[in-house]
Amino acid sequence: MSIRYVGAQLGLLILVLSGTIAAVGVGSAVAQVLGNAGEAAASRALLATAVIGIALGFGLWRTGRRAGGQLGRREAMLLVAAGWLVGAALSALPYRLWASVEALGEPADRPFRSFVDCYFEAMSGLTTTGASVLSDVTMVPGSLLLWRALTQWLGGLGIIVLFVAVLPSLGVGGKRVFRIESPGPTPEGVRPKIQETARVLWLIYVGLSLAEVLALKVLGFSWFESVCHTFATLATGGFSTHNTSIGAMHSAAADVVVIMFMLLAGVNFGIYYHLIRKRWRAAYRDPELRLYLGVVFVGFLIVAGHLLTHTIHTTVGEQVRPSIGSAVRYGLFQTVSLQTTTGFCTADFNQWPAAARTVLVLLMFVGASAGSTGGGIKIVRCLITAKVLWGEMERVFRPNVIRVVKIGDTPVDSDLRLATLCYVIIIALLFAGGGIALLVLEQGQDIDVVTAITASAATLNNIGPGLGLVGAVEHYGWFSKPSKLVLSLLMVLGRLEVYAIAVLFLPRFWLRE
Amino acid sequence: MSIRYVGAQLGLLILVLSGTIAAVGVGSAVAQVLGNAGEAAASRALLATAVIGIALGFGLWRTGRRAGGQLGRREAMLLVAAGWLVGAALSALPYRLWASVEALGEPADRPFRSFVDCYFEAMSGLTTTGASVLSDVTMVPGSLLLWRALTQWLGGLGIIVLFVAVLPSLGVGGKRVFRIESPGPTPEGVRPKIQETARVLWLIYVGLSLAEVLALKVLGFSWFESVCHTFATLATGGFSTHNTSIGAMHSAAADVVVIMFMLLAGVNFGIYYHLIRKRWRAAYRDPELRLYLGVVFVGFLIVAGHLLTHTIHTTVGEQVRPSIGSAVRYGLFQTVSLQTTTGFCTADFNQWPAAARTVLVLLMFVGASAGSTGGGIKIVRCLITAKVLWGEMERVFRPNVIRVVKIGDTPVDSDLRLATLCYVIIIALLFAGGGIALLVLEQGQDIDVVTAITASAATLNNIGPGLGLVGAVEHYGWFSKPSKLVLSLLMVLGRLEVYAIAVLFLPRFWLRE
């Protein structure tokens, strides 16, 4: 393991992140000069973080750049894991520095009063979870809210590039699951293809972002609101600049726009690649896309059906009488938001009927498509698992019939079948372990089981809001520090699909080959 | 599918069951003649059931005996499924008939006032679950309590014989998991071996039963109590003739005897076969046996550790001050009882600290050894799953290393690996599905999530008591009828290890080959 070589690469990554922070800091300083007094502390915090980051990144790069080594499989995994863990720490620093400069109200009420809180918020951003420790986001200056939204956008893109460019070469069987490329032998080699793919994905992501910003702007929102919510939508993140999330916009048109872009963000970005290449048939016939839309639709029907006779409490505190229109509007928004693992809210779904809540929690686990910015187990894994279970059932009474499990026209080989089942079991174990850890850590506070298990599900699957004390209109600030660290770990495990983080705990990972 | 041929075999099975019921009925009638007035209704109910059963069984046998056909794979599965579903109905009949003859108190308080209640109780017996609808077992005459305990003993034996004699030929990969025979080629054919094995298992089961009856009798219990509790112990069932379970015996010596026999019942009976054959080394080196005892021991340490400073409420309502002695006595009993999936209680573990309760619930899923009378996922499956997950983790950064998963010296082939993971996922899905079904069905009653999910876990894994409203000193009588049917289904699914019941829902199962 070439630790120093990995360090040098990590240094470069930190430099990029620091540059972004510096840019936001400069914007904040300009706003301050233009008369926004609230940015005084924030601009200093952001710029100080940038300086620290640049020093750290440069130091790491200097130390390691001459070290021999190459980015093998283990080095790549270590780089990804360290990048996220250290990146979250750097992203948390502006919050912490700002809180120590700005003295707001009573110490106990101040946001970001401990580094663990800030780390939680930064990890929640980068992993596009959207769970927040803030009870009142309006206490935080605009530049930090922009940075918060930007962490989601970066994390959302990062994950796609990671899957496309890194994971296939890591051989997690990822390439076949995240079939960005059409199956079968191709004339080009792997390397130029990955670079080209990454470039196209960048363009798609930026293009979709521009489209949403403009759509929201046209609907009458400020540039700031439009940009922040766009970042949070396309990353399936869910951070908002309002305590009441999207509900604060009081606009059915905004709901529709956000629903649309959440849905688009939950699609495998390979589909857009197909579309750009004019491979309409491949996009149209994609089994994951069809199942994704089908699951959203069925989930929506069940949820909306239960809302038909139910008074809906919006996040801004209005009570909407039962009607077909309200059931469709709020039911569709929440179904799409939770299945795509975004976590935006327009209504307090914690008060919805048990059956609707249950469906929403189940959808959290199903998640969005593979190769999208969304989290969860992912549609295609659920499909493979279902097909394998079905085949196994039949094998009991027909042991000699050999069934080939196929996704579309692509056969799923036995390695991938086993890997998929392993992943599902690991997610189930992490979910249960997370819930149990929270129950034990918060024993004194007497938190209820629903809060504990939905907090575990909502962080592991990168959604954000759960039920009970972490419901739509609640926040995660009241958890103890150890619990917040557990939740941060669940977020990054879920985001990096477990293995990149989990292997760090294997002694054999660190052994010399 | 030769339905009529299966019917004939089912008829024979019903005849055997009816004969057993008749024997208990005759005993009850004798007791009545000897002056036990409480047996008047019970003896009539039992004998009437026997007559109905003999008529039904004979009819089925007459109809089908001349039908051509053979017991192929699907026929065998159908026979097993139908045997359990119909067998439970017949076993329920004495309860229902007794309740309609005997008029006790207010109708609403009467035990067994609906057939669903009786079916639940009978299924709970045959599947060796031990969950009861009875709030007060002392209202039920002795002969019916004996019959209740006997259903467990029959179910416990049935399951072993099923695995040994039927499942290997069903090709569920069962033979390799339940490796009763030493691996490798053997000179004898399969058939005489299975018969011989079944005979030896019978002898072991009867021998252990006699030993426990005598041990309990020596400790001063009545023959009736000794026999009923022995039936419930060796089947890992958990029905008691007291509302307060084993706690009613007020005897540490009895606790020790019951702990010992619960542990023995949770061992793979193949180990005893090894011992009889003087294959000491094979028994001693068995990896499942070692892990089984290890898990029990670690679970006990954690549970007892949390009880050191905790006042224990026994099932008879005594408060035992914290001490090492009480922590060991009650902690060990409950750990062994729940891990072996027996479900006997000496203390109300529902009041224990959260960490201890959590460990107990986790042990419910781990369960006893394969090839024992216990339920749960089974130790050997957990071991295979853990090894596969571990290997998969390593494969991420070492894709070219081929690791052979072994249990002891026996390699686990890829089919069995996949089947094991499938089984674990199916249990997790059934557990979640059961919990959700109960929450939705009992929506009006506002049952808590802990009650719903532990009721699902305690029936699916064939334990009996859970937490909350189905805790150690509670019962299942308050559930609605639909919920009781769901719970009955979970019990039989868990007991037959899912497939035998689940395939009935596959349309392809019923198709002509």
Side-chain angles (χ1 to χ4, degrees), chain A residues 73-74 77 170 354 358 390 392 394 396-399 403 419 421 425 436 443 449-450 506 508 513, chain B residues 73-74 77 170 354 358 390 392 394 396-399 403 419 421 425 436 443 449-450 506 508 513:
Chain A
R73 197 176 302 272
R74 293 193 297 169
M77 298 202 82
L170 293 180
T358 306
W390 194 259
E392 197 63 21
E394 195 180 339
V396 171
F397 59 92
R398 279 183 166 176
R403 281 169 66 96
L421 296 189
I425 291 176
I436 290 168
Q443 219 159 348
V449 173
V450 172
L506 288 189
R508 227 176 268 226
E513 280 292 85
Chain B
R73 198 175 303 273
R74 294 192 296 169
M77 298 203 81
L170 293 181
T358 306
W390 193 258
E392 196 64 19
E394 197 180 337
V396 171
F397 59 93
R398 279 182 166 178
R403 280 170 65 97
L421 295 188
I425 292 177
I436 290 168
Q443 220 159 349
V449 173
V450 172
L506 289 188
R508 229 176 268 227
E513 280 293 83

Side-chain angles (χ1 to χ4, degrees), chain A residues 300 304-305 307-310 312 320-332:
Chain A
F300 154 68
L307 291 178
L308 283 178
T309 54
H310 200 268
I312 293 167
V320 182
R321 279 166 201 279
S323 73
I324 293 181
S326 67
V328 169
R329 176 177 167 187
Y330 295 99
L332 184 61

Side-chain angles (χ1 to χ4, degrees), chain A residues 496-513:
Chain A
L496 299 182
E497 306 217 309
V498 183
Y499 294 116
I501 298 293
V503 291
L504 303 183
F505 296 100
L506 288 189
R508 227 176 268 226
F509 180 74
W510 301 98
L511 285 182
R512 218 174 271 274
E513 280 292 85

Side-chain angles (χ1 to χ4, degrees), chain A residues 98-105 110:
Chain A
W98 168 76
S100 62
V101 176
E102 195 93 73
L104 288 164
R110 271 180 221 163

Side-chain angles (χ1 to χ4, degrees), chain B residues 10 13 30 39 88 95 172 211 213 223 231 246 263 277 342 360-361 412 440 446 448 463 482 485 512:
Chain B
L10 181 63
L13 206 148
V30 170
E39 294 291 342
Y95 305 140
V172 215
V213 168
W223 283 112
F231 284 166
I246 301 295
L263 268 179
R277 296 251 148 185
T342 307
L360 290 176
V361 172
V412 179
V440 171
D446 266 335
D448 58 310
I463 289 112
L485 290 175
R512 218 174 270 273

Side-chain angles (χ1 to χ4, degrees), chain B residues 33 46 51 68 79 130 150 183 218 223 238 259 265 277 283 303 331 346 406 432-433 451 496 513:
Chain B
V33 170
L46 285 160
V51 169
L79 176 60
L150 190 56
V218 166
W223 283 112
I259 286 171
R277 296 251 148 185
V303 170
T346 54
K406 279 186 177 182
T451 297
L496 299 183
E513 280 293 83

